[in-house]
Amino acid sequence: MEHRPGRRRGIAAIVLLVLGAVILGGVTVAKAVNPPSRYTEGKAVGWTMTPTYTNGESIYLEPVAKGGLRRGDVVLASVPWSLQKTQMNRVVAVGGDRIQYKPSSKVAGQYRLVLNGTPLDEPYLEQWKNPSAVAFNVKVPKGYVFLMADNRMNSDGSQYANNGPVPADRVTAKVVAYPMAKLAVWGQLAGALVLLLGGVLAGVARRARGRAGRAAAGTAAIPAPAAAQPEPGEGGGEGAGEQAPVAAQPGPGDAQAPVGPGGRADVPS
């Protein structure tokens, strides 16, 4: 089979483009599939939960079972400090916990909340942000939860004395991570990356074919050298140096036939 420049890259580009289209198509179908009936889709409102959730981001909610709240849960709750009907917050402490914060003290070089005497690890906060703008020391009553947003420097919460813990029955839903939603996001990124790579390979293959075509055209335009003609009298090959026979010229003593009218020579019989 004749080798064509860029052929393998072209085939690889086609495969990648088809694969990228299949991935994006599958993601589109997956996003169209409704989540389980226990989930309700909604939108995050505002910036109080950044960087975990941003304004307008899709969220999925599920009902909260009695006693089902845990520390670290992100919830939708009716809170007294919000003008909205409900607001997203994080459960930092539950009934029976003691939660406190001292801005003047650091733990392992960072400011941290202290939960039941142990520094609280909060990986959902950006490293450089303080966990609270005010000091507090609260014992959470039974049947209550201590709520704080993730954007601590630009939000309200139970840490302020005029707010305090919130009754657990004010929590209307729990924000959950719907697996298909995350899969759709990663699928879109993967599909776009595969399509981009396929486009790059297609461009490389096209340039390789173009270079090969120009090189072939340049080669065809150069005329082939003419065959060397032997000089008269030179030997070195069959028939080399041969000349056309020359008619013998008559000598002085040779008889010549008389030339008649019309230029014909009369040859005696």
Side-chain angles (χ1 to χ4, degrees):
M1 181 181 293
E2 181 183 357
H3 174 71
R4 290 182 294 173
R7 182 172 180 271
R8 293 182 179 178
R9 291 175 181 173
I11 294 175
I14 293 174
V15 172
L16 289 175
L17 291 173
V18 172
L19 180 60
V22 170
I23 292 175
L24 288 180
V27 168
T28 302
V29 173
K31 289 181 68 177
V33 176
N34 292 326
S37 58
R38 71 177 185 275
Y39 292 164
T40 302
E41 187 174 0
K43 297 286 185 182
V45 179
W47 304 94
T48 59
M49 286 299 294
T50 55
T52 308
Y53 293 99
T54 58
N55 183 48
E57 183 176 347
S58 295
I59 58 174
Y60 293 87
L61 309 171
E62 68 174 359
V64 179
K66 186 176 180 180
L69 293 176
R70 299 288 184 271
R71 302 181 192 95
D73 286 345
V74 177
V75 298
L76 203 62
S78 175
V79 293
W81 57 80
S82 175
L83 297 177
Q84 300 174 10
K85 185 177 180 180
T86 55
Q87 188 182 62
M88 286 178 64
N89 286 275
R90 187 180 294 275
V91 177
V92 178
V94 297
D97 288 338
R98 177 169 291 279
I99 184 77
Q100 54 187 321
Y101 177 68
K102 293 180 180 180
S104 60
S105 61
K106 287 185 178 181
V107 178
Q110 293 183 0
Y111 295 106
R112 293 192 186 183
L113 303 182
V114 178
L115 177 66
N116 300 324
T118 303
L120 183 62
D121 187 18
E122 298 184 283
Y124 40 81
L125 298 180
E126 294 184 14
Q127 293 290 329
W128 58 271
K129 287 189 175 181
N130 293 336
S132 176
V134 297
F136 60 86
N137 188 343
V138 177
K139 176 74 172 181
V140 183
K142 291 290 185 180
Y144 282 71
V145 288
F146 194 91
L147 301 178
M148 299 178 73
D150 287 357
N151 189 0
R152 300 284 170 81
M153 297 296 104
N154 296 283
S155 63
D156 213 340
S158 295
Q159 67 268 33
Y160 293 96
N162 58 332
N163 296 335
V166 176
D169 58 9
R170 294 284 188 91
V171 177
T172 59
K174 184 187 298 186
V175 181
V176 295
Y178 178 44
M180 192 59 68
K182 290 188 175 181
L183 180 62
V185 173
W186 286 108
Q188 287 175 327
L189 292 176
L193 182 61
V194 171
L195 283 176
L196 178 62
L197 183 58
V200 171
L201 276 179
V204 172
R206 184 176 180 180
R207 285 195 295 270
R209 289 194 297 268
R211 287 195 298 268
R214 289 191 297 270
T219 303
I222 300 175
Q229 299 296 328
E231 293 294 333
E234 288 185 353
E238 184 179 352
E242 292 183 356
Q243 297 183 8
V246 179
Q249 299 295 326
D254 293 340
Q256 298 186 9
V259 179
R264 293 193 322 172
D266 292 332
V267 180
S269 57

